[in-house]
Amino acid sequence: MTETPRAWRSVLPHLGYELPADVTPQRTGGPMIATLPLELIRQSVATREFWPIPEPVAERYRSYRPAPLWRARRFEAEIGATVPIYVKYEGGNISGSHKFNTALAQAHYYHRAGFRELVTGTGAGQWGSALAAACAAFGIACTVFMVGGSLRDKPYRGSLMRLYNAELHASPSPLTHVGRVAAERSGQGNSLALAIGEAVEYARADPKRAFCIGSGETYSILHQSVIGLEAIDQLAALDASVEAVIGCVGAGSNFGGLALPFFAADSAGERDVPTDLIAVESSTTPKLTRGVYAYDHTDSTGTGPMEAMYTIGSGYAIPASHSAGLRFHGAAKLISAMRYRDQISALAVGQREALTAGRTFALTELVVPAPESGHALAAAARVATGREPGHPARRGLLVCISGHGLLDLAAYDKLLAGLPEDRAADSHALRAATASLRAVHPMGGA
């Protein structure tokens, strides 16, 4: 039987290059106060490969890990797959998603560093739910700014956060300057970048608070490596082989958590079959497929360090969709660097195709996936049926169901009622939103 990993595995020693350094913007909004625990900084920059999981975190992991992995035979049959499809399911914890893996780790490190309130922004609500529960576990107060449109569509996400004593605010909110400004500008008030920006500003107002983030940072991707480490062992126990690994991407944590341990194992010569790592994004937020590799802000305040990322521009007005967890303008700098060097590939999927794939999976496997995960399932269906040129999977593929969709049923209701066709990202608007960004030098410098 597969055991819960005792250590996280970093991909940094296997990249063959250093990640581009962050750039300080001209406008900082006042003095920057370092609130990131030292251990999280180390996990982001050190080339150490294995990081022991602290026992307080491991103890919580053992209540829901290892997460299930199975072959989705009925889904295969329904879509006409010509290769096996294995799924790794991350919806079996209180948050309903993979986000709990890093929420527990971060709450532990922030608590140990002496902070007593964590502040964050969330899109679909999985991260907000995860952090609220993790803060409750470690005795820390929690404040969450959630994308307002998503909170209206998913009110029970808010209920779950409040159940764990989190203070919840719809974004844009009147509590912050960036929120008030966005509320006055049509089309600028429905993005994860804004919710994160509000959280950053709110946290800065009190030295007892710390801002934390759940997806794009290198340390959060490290914490998610438990997904891929378990999957490798579980596939070996089934005597199964895959040559494609697929996950959806908002900033990149569930995809990175599943895929990068395979990259590390391939690089270390531990696997016989090279792995095609496929990041799947929403066609409404196509940073990896239509964006630029440049330095951009991670939030709407424009005051924090600028990171090298594939981006459609932090000021781009992202169209509404039922996959709020994918509605982030940029990809994590680790995922972006690997994409730039063709170490991973990317596909874009529309929400109708994603929700249709999610419903098919629910009907066949009796598990309702989050709409975000539907994007990964749709891409898996393309690859497994030979409909995606350049991505053969002769020995099978593995896909991450990053969370359940039981609090996203409004999206499936709209699919059943005839969800309108997707609105593709506008090429002119994309060019305008990225025109002033500073490109990343091909060798990784500025």
Side-chain angles (χ1 to χ4, degrees):
M1 180 178 178
T2 303
E3 296 183 353
T4 303
R6 298 181 181 179
W8 299 302
R9 187 174 191 176
S10 173
V11 75
L12 296 181
H14 299 285
L15 292 180
Y17 53 87
E18 294 184 1
L19 298 180
D22 295 349
V23 172
T24 302
Q26 292 182 347
R27 180 169 64 91
T28 63
M32 299 291 289
I33 300 174
T35 60
L36 192 64
L38 184 58
E39 189 69 359
L40 295 181
I41 296 175
R42 292 192 187 102
Q43 292 171 1
S44 296
V45 298
T47 55
R48 177 179 177 178
E49 185 166 9
F50 292 98
W51 297 81
I53 300 173
E55 179 54 31
V57 178
E59 178 185 3
R60 294 289 182 172
Y61 278 2
R62 288 192 288 269
S63 70
Y64 66 96
R65 306 208 69 89
L69 180 147
W70 71 91
R71 181 175 173 182
R73 295 180 183 273
R74 293 178 178 83
F75 182 69
E76 292 172 14
E78 181 65 24
I79 66 173
T82 59
V83 296
I85 298 176
Y86 297 90
V87 296
K88 180 68 169 167
Y89 181 62
E90 288 294 311
N93 62 71
I94 186 58
S95 75
S97 82
H98 70 291
K99 299 288 190 178
F100 205 35
N101 298 325
T102 187
L104 286 168
Q106 290 191 49
H108 164 75
Y109 288 123
Y110 278 101
H111 181 266
R112 195 173 69 177
F115 291 99
R116 292 299 177 263
E117 180 181 354
L118 297 183
V119 186
T120 197
T122 189
Q126 288 97 332
W127 168 241
S129 302
L131 189 65
C135 285
F138 286 96
I140 308 175
C142 181
T143 299
V144 180
F145 290 84
M146 182 171 176
V147 173
S150 183
L151 181 56
R152 288 190 295 272
D153 288 341
K154 306 173 186 182
Y156 290 113
R157 276 287 171 194
S159 299
L160 184 57
M161 292 179 225
R162 286 188 289 265
L163 178 67
Y164 282 98
N165 296 320
E167 182 179 317
L168 178 63
H169 304 283
S171 175
S173 80
L175 295 181
T176 68
H177 173 73
V178 68
R180 292 189 294 272
V181 170
E184 296 173 356
R185 296 178 180 175
S186 176
Q188 296 297 313
N190 193 32
S191 75
L192 179 55
L194 174 60
I196 292 172
E198 290 208 76
V200 169
E201 180 182 332
Y202 186 79
R204 282 180 178 168
D206 188 333
K208 296 179 182 179
R209 300 171 184 156
F211 167 75
C212 68
I213 191 67
S215 184
E217 299 305 316
T218 303
Y219 56 80
S220 66
I221 296 174
L222 172 70
H223 302 154
Q224 298 295 353
S225 66
V226 292
I227 305 173
L229 293 170
E230 286 180 4
I232 290 172
D233 288 346
Q234 289 167 319
L235 289 169
L238 295 174
D239 196 24
S241 178
V242 299
E243 57 182 351
V245 174
I246 301 173
C248 62
V249 170
S253 67
N254 94 85
F255 166 74
L258 179 71
L260 300 194
F262 283 85
F263 183 90
D266 289 350
S267 300
E270 298 167 6
R271 300 182 72 250
D272 296 330
V273 182
T275 314
D276 184 13
L277 309 179
I278 306 173
V280 188
E281 62 188 5
S282 167
S283 60
T284 64
T285 320
K287 54 260 187 174
L288 291 171
T289 54
R290 296 176 60 189
V292 298
Y293 190 38
Y295 288 95
D296 199 3
H297 300 286
T298 58
D299 64 76
S300 291
T301 67
T303 59
M306 300 178 71
E307 296 185 357
M309 64 175 77
Y310 271 94
T311 177
I312 55 175
S314 57
Y316 179 75
I318 301 171
S321 78
H322 294 291
S323 300
L326 305 187
R327 296 182 70 255
F328 188 60
H329 64 277
K333 61 182 175 183
L334 172 56
I335 301 300
S336 295
M338 295 183 72
R339 168 65 170 151
Y340 185 76
R341 290 163 177 79
D342 294 322
Q343 293 171 322
I344 65 172
S345 57
L347 298 174
V349 169
Q351 64 175 337
R352 175 185 286 275
E353 183 184 1
L355 287 169
T356 299
R359 187 191 181 204
T360 300
F361 191 82
L363 288 168
T364 54
E365 299 296 321
L366 302 184
V367 170
V368 181
E372 292 82 2
S373 299
H375 291 72
L377 285 167
R382 291 184 192 176
V383 174
T385 56
R387 292 184 288 115
E388 193 59 53
H391 293 285
R394 291 177 292 272
R395 298 195 188 187
L397 58 89
L398 171 66
V399 59
C400 186
I401 308 299
S402 58
H404 69 61
L406 298 179
L407 297 178
D408 303 274
L409 294 178
Y412 286 103
D413 271 345
K414 291 185 178 181
L415 174 70
L416 296 175
L419 186 74
E421 291 295 335
D422 300 306
R423 181 167 50 143
D426 180 75
S427 297
H428 177 75
L430 289 176
R431 287 194 297 272
T434 57
S436 64
L437 297 180
R438 179 182 174 187
V440 180
H441 189 277
M443 296 308 293

